[in-house]
């Protein structure tokens, strides 16, 4: 529902990432080149109601990293008062949305810069995406959130059998890092995209349609979509293994039997 709201959106694989993404989100949102709300996403119940260890950093380090926001225009400035509201009238809306679009493009550089600075201070650098055993892979699975952690186990088990599979976790969803995704998957022979949401547009999930659009005219390779976990339904190792099995068949035959499939749905 918030996909096209104009908010920067980052996704977390686990509680540690949700915590660290939140720290970065303040810096990202308040950067003068962006000045857009930043939404930190995590899988409800799977992460929000789960129990796992989180390394919490010292308040002073976090405070220094986030810094103090100094607004260009303050409502409390009595010498130069301003008026702010939640509505933009028709004569100004087009220009307002155009500025939003420019800020979203600028946000790519902001997210990258803040992620690198976070790494220097806290020891873990963040980017737009995170790959796992993808460099020498022949087939790959792309997705968001907690399922990518489970998928690493499936990748490892397939590697033991000689299957060259890897994964690409998309951390930044808005603005969409299409260029980087293309560069990281262009050597693959087939890819699958996991969506924990169905756009109900007759085409596929939102991540799938964005990735397919980014690949268009740049990279030609078979791509399929899997909708899973709606309503918080668990995704199993068997579900994820079936995705790998499908990709193996697609790689060998170069034929796609079904563009969009539903994992774990009751027949």
């Amino acid at each position: 529902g918030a996909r096209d709201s104009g908010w920067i959106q980052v996704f977390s694989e686990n509680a540690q990432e949700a915590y660290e993404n939140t720290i970065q989100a303040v810096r990202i949102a308040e950067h003068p080149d962006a000045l857009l709300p930043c939404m930190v996403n995590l899988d409800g119940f799977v992460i929000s109601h789960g129990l796992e260890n989180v390394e919490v950093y010292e308040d002073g380090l976090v405070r220094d990293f986030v810094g103090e926001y100094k607004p260009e225009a303050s409502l409390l400035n009595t010498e130069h008062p301003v008026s702010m509201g939640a509505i933009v009238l028709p004569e100004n809306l087009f220009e307002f949305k155009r500025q939003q679009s420019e800020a979203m493009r600028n946000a790519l550089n902001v997210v990258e810069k803040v992620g690198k600075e976070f790494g220097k201070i806290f020891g873990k650098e963040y980017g737009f995406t995170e790959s796992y055993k993808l460099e020498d892979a022949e087939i790959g699975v792309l997705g968001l959130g907690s399922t990518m952690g489970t998928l690493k186990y499936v990748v490892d088990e397939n590697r033991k059998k000689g299957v060259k599979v890897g994964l690409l976790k998309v951390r930044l969803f808005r603005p969409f890092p299409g260029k980087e995704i293309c560069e990281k998957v262009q050597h693959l022979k087939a890819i699958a995209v996991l969506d924990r949401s169905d756009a109900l547009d007759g085409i596929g999930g939102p991540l799938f349609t964005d990735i397919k659009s980014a690949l268009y005219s740049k990279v030609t390779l078979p791509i399929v979509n899997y909708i899973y976990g709606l309503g918080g339904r668990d995704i199993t190792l068997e579900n994820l293994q079936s995705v790998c099995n499908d990709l193996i068949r697609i790689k060998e035959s170069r034929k796609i039997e079904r563009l969009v499939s539903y994992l774990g749905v009751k027949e």
Side-chain angles (χ1 to χ4, degrees):
R3 181 181 58 185
D4 302 323
S5 62
W7 288 45
I8 299 167
Q9 298 178 30
V10 294
F11 278 74
S12 314
E13 178 184 324
N14 48 48
Q16 185 71 43
E17 286 193 3
Y19 168 63
E20 294 175 349
N21 280 334
T22 301
I23 296 172
Q24 295 173 72
V26 182
R27 279 280 305 276
I28 293 168
E30 294 179 349
H31 195 284
D33 289 342
L35 293 178
L36 293 172
C38 186
M39 181 187 301
V40 176
N41 298 275
L42 64 155
D43 291 339
F45 289 96
V46 179
I47 300 301
S48 66
H49 288 56
L51 183 65
E52 57 182 310
N53 292 330
V54 173
E55 179 185 359
V56 179
Y57 304 121
E58 294 181 8
D59 289 350
L61 282 175
V62 176
R63 187 180 299 111
D64 290 343
F65 176 80
V66 171
E68 182 178 352
Y69 179 53
K70 297 179 181 179
E72 185 176 330
S74 173
L75 291 174
L76 300 179
N77 188 339
T78 57
E79 299 296 324
H80 302 283
V82 297
S83 176
M84 297 186 183
I87 184 173
V88 180
L89 297 176
E91 61 266 27
N92 296 314
L93 179 63
F94 200 173
E95 288 70 28
F96 176 78
K97 301 307 282 187
R98 175 65 182 84
Q99 291 179 44
Q100 270 189 307
S101 179
E102 190 67 23
M104 190 62 78
R105 291 188 179 91
N106 293 341
L108 278 170
N109 292 330
V110 174
V111 171
E112 183 178 33
K113 178 181 178 181
V114 172
K116 288 181 178 179
E117 290 182 10
F118 185 90
K120 291 179 181 178
I121 296 174
F122 299 101
K124 181 182 179 181
E125 185 174 309
Y126 280 82
F128 305 148
T129 64
E130 180 184 322
S131 59
Y132 183 73
K133 298 187 177 180
L134 191 68
E135 289 74 14
D136 66 336
E138 295 182 342
I139 56 177
V141 184
L142 292 73
L144 302 163
S146 63
T147 301
M148 303 312 286
T150 308
L151 186 60
K152 290 175 183 177
Y153 175 84
V154 178
V155 169
D156 289 341
E157 291 301 300
N158 278 273
R159 285 283 179 162
K160 293 176 184 178
K161 303 173 185 177
V163 180
K164 291 187 176 181
V165 59
L167 69 83
L168 184 67
K169 179 176 72 178
V170 180
R171 172 184 176 245
L172 183 67
F173 183 55
R174 288 292 181 268
F176 192 69
K179 180 180 179 181
E180 178 170 301
I181 291 174
C182 287
E183 292 173 348
K184 289 192 173 184
V185 304
Q186 61 184 351
H187 66 287
L188 300 176
K189 297 180 180 179
I191 61 174
V193 179
L194 303 179
D195 268 293
R196 202 166 200 146
S197 174
D198 191 346
L200 302 177
D201 55 9
I203 300 175
L207 182 62
F208 170 71
T209 53
D210 279 0
I211 290 176
K212 194 172 183 181
S213 176
L215 294 176
Y216 180 75
S217 78
K218 295 182 178 66
V219 181
T220 302
L221 74 163
I223 175 172
V224 289
N225 187 207
Y226 294 85
I227 309 293
Y228 74 98
L230 302 188
R233 180 167 295 178
D234 288 338
I235 183 169
T236 66
L237 295 176
E238 291 74 19
N239 292 149
L240 295 175
Q241 182 58 51
S242 71
V243 173
C244 293
N245 293 341
D246 288 346
L247 284 177
I248 293 171
R249 287 193 294 270
I250 293 171
K251 182 199 74 170
E252 294 174 349
S253 67
R254 304 294 292 181
K255 294 181 180 180
I256 297 176
E257 297 179 1
R258 182 179 295 179
L259 186 63
V260 181
S261 302
Y262 290 80
L263 285 178
V265 69
K266 298 176 183 178
E267 297 296 341

